[in-house]
Amino acid sequence: MERGSGHEAAQGDGEPEVKKRRLLCEEFASVARCDEAVAQCYLAENEWEVEKALNSFFEPSAEEDALDAVPAGAAGPETCVDLTNEDTTDSTSSKSNSLESPEIEDKTMFSFITWNIDGLDINNLQERARGVCSYLALYCPDVVFLQEVIPPYYCYLKKRATSYEIIPGREDGYFTAIMLRKARAKLKSYEIIPFPNTKMMRNILCAHVSMSGSDFYLMTSHLESTKEHSKERMSQLKMVFKKMQEAPEEATVVFGGDTNLRDQEVTKYGGLPDNIMDAWEFLGKPKHCQYTWDTQMNSNLGIPGVCKLRFDRIFFRTAAENPIIPRSFDLLGMEKLDCGKYPSDHWGVLCYLDKIF
């Protein structure tokens, strides 16, 4: 079958243009997980600009937008709506939450979220993205580590979470990102370190940041997935630890990400380096927030079996003076949205760190 031959012939642009548009259709279909005929329609309607077409595919129409719960007078028709300051109607904001949010404006306290937001699952993606933003509104974290971000989700966050500076780990396929609350965190520099043997486009995203006079090196990654890739995953973990140890002694280093780790892998590795700690373990291994990927409680993937794993972890290395250590550790995203889905197949992790004098 010659895909879109009638439309392309009508353009009269010649064979190179036809090939280019077929490649654009393939790229769109790969990201959106749709048929290439659908991809062609969206691309044709958006002047064959992939980002614009993907936004059109994932974003609701103007009529649907009007149904969103935006406070009266909050924004004009051309104004970006910041969901991190916006009332929400999802169950996540209407129900009482078991987490007690400490006073985060205290200059000695810092808040972090790490979350694999499962952007690769396009089912109810718009509502799930709003669900994630509602948690950002509720807890107003200083730093957010995200995994499995896709370009439309990244564009959505840039438009909605305007109180954050967002650093992507790449710009195509799927990737990680670090979000920095502008009122608190000042970016000094960042770098992307590729994993040389990854088969899944994985890397380390590092950011050098100043918060309330304290120096931080922040890192996130999505280590190689599935049990079969344990060897590569452990090689990647070794690179993460090496990078954490290379940071200046006066800085606090925090890594948050989807490690895909099984506990036996860490044991086989010999445990963590002496100067690097696991925040959950440091706080006494609280049972209520042990498993961040739990197919018994989270029905998003519809997996019939029961699988409980602590994939999502926060590692930290304290500074030589005035150390900053974890104070609390909890899970997010454990309430279903109105669409019947959770924001992700992973629970998010919320961690507060305190400066000790």
Side-chain angles (χ1 to χ4, degrees), residues 112 114 143-147 176-178 191 193 203-209 216-222 239-248 252-258 276 313-315 317:
F112 295 81
T114 183
V143 177
V144 184
F145 302 117
L146 297 178
Q147 304 84 46
T176 60
I178 296 176
E191 63 175 322
I193 303 168
N203 58 30
I204 308 172
L205 175 60
C206 310
H208 181 198
V209 172
F216 285 84
Y217 281 80
L218 308 175
M219 305 179 190
T220 189
S221 187
H222 184 188
M239 285 184 63
V240 168
F241 289 155
K242 183 176 184 292
K243 188 64 181 176
M244 291 181 71
Q245 291 173 314
E246 287 174 351
T252 298
V253 186
V254 181
F255 169 92
D258 178 0
I276 295 175
R313 306 190 182 201
I314 292 179
F315 299 127
R317 194 211 71 182

Side-chain angles (χ1 to χ4, degrees), residues 35-293:
D35 187 272
E36 287 188 26
V38 175
Q40 179 176 303
C41 290
Y42 276 93
L43 285 163
E45 290 172 359
N46 290 278
E47 303 172 332
W48 294 91
E49 295 180 16
V50 174
E51 183 172 320
K52 186 177 177 182
L54 284 168
N55 285 339
S56 177
F57 180 84
F58 285 105
E59 292 276 348
S61 64
E63 291 76 16
E64 291 171 317
D65 247 344
L67 298 177
D68 285 345
V70 179
E78 300 300 323
T79 305
C80 288
V81 180
D82 180 6
L83 285 189
T84 59
N85 288 313
E86 175 182 323
D87 291 337
T88 57
T89 57
D90 284 326
S91 57
T92 53
S93 57
S94 60
K95 298 179 183 178
S96 95
N97 196 295
S98 61
L99 297 174
E100 293 185 4
S101 178
E103 178 52 64
I104 60 174
E105 295 305 324
D106 183 344
K107 290 186 177 182
T108 66
M109 188 177 295
F110 307 90
S111 52
F112 295 81
I113 284 177
T114 183
W115 206 341
N116 180 325
I117 54 176
D118 194 20
L120 294 175
D121 178 6
I122 65 168
N123 293 312
N124 304 107
L125 187 61
Q126 178 81 15
E127 188 165 353
R128 291 193 295 108
R130 284 200 298 267
V132 168
C133 285
S134 74
Y135 281 100
L136 300 187
L138 186 60
Y139 295 106
C140 202
D142 297 317
V143 177
V144 184
F145 302 117
L146 297 178
Q147 304 84 46
E148 284 195 25
V149 183
I150 61 172
Y153 208 130
Y154 173 53
C155 292
Y156 182 91
L157 288 170
K158 283 197 297 183
K159 178 159 58 170
R160 304 295 182 175
T162 57
S163 57
Y164 285 85
E165 180 175 3
I166 308 176
I167 309 157
R170 58 187 299 143
E171 295 183 353
D172 58 350
Y174 68 104
F175 45 89
T176 60
I178 296 176
M179 300 176 65
L180 304 173
R181 189 159 68 95
K182 295 175 183 177
R184 192 79 194 279
K186 305 303 178 186
L187 177 66
K188 292 185 174 182
S189 62
Y190 75 93
E191 63 175 322
I192 298 168
I193 303 168
F195 292 131
N197 298 314
T198 181
K199 305 297 183 184
M200 304 178 184
M201 301 189 296
R202 308 293 168 85
N203 58 30
I204 308 172
L205 175 60
C206 310
H208 181 198
V209 172
S210 175
M211 286 194 284
S212 299
S214 296
D215 219 24
F216 285 84
Y217 281 80
L218 308 175
M219 305 179 190
T220 189
S221 187
H222 184 188
L223 303 187
E224 214 81 351
S225 305
T226 75
K227 187 182 298 184
E228 292 73 21
H229 291 90
S230 176
K231 183 177 180 181
E232 172 59 20
R233 177 163 54 250
M234 298 313 295
S235 174
Q236 294 171 359
L237 181 66
K238 186 176 180 179
M239 285 184 63
V240 168
F241 289 155
K242 183 176 184 292
K243 188 64 181 176
M244 291 181 71
Q245 291 173 314
E246 287 174 351
E249 289 186 359
E250 63 271 18
T252 298
V253 186
V254 181
F255 169 92
D258 178 0
T259 67
N260 278 303
L261 285 171
R262 283 73 171 165
D263 288 336
Q264 62 269 26
E265 292 176 330
V266 181
T267 302
K268 185 178 178 180
Y269 179 79
L272 305 184
D274 291 340
N275 61 341
I276 295 175
M277 289 170 276
D278 182 309
W280 178 77
E281 293 179 349
F282 179 85
L283 291 167
K285 303 181 179 181
K287 290 292 185 183
H288 75 279
C289 53
Q290 179 173 5
Y291 302 116
T292 65
W293 196 70

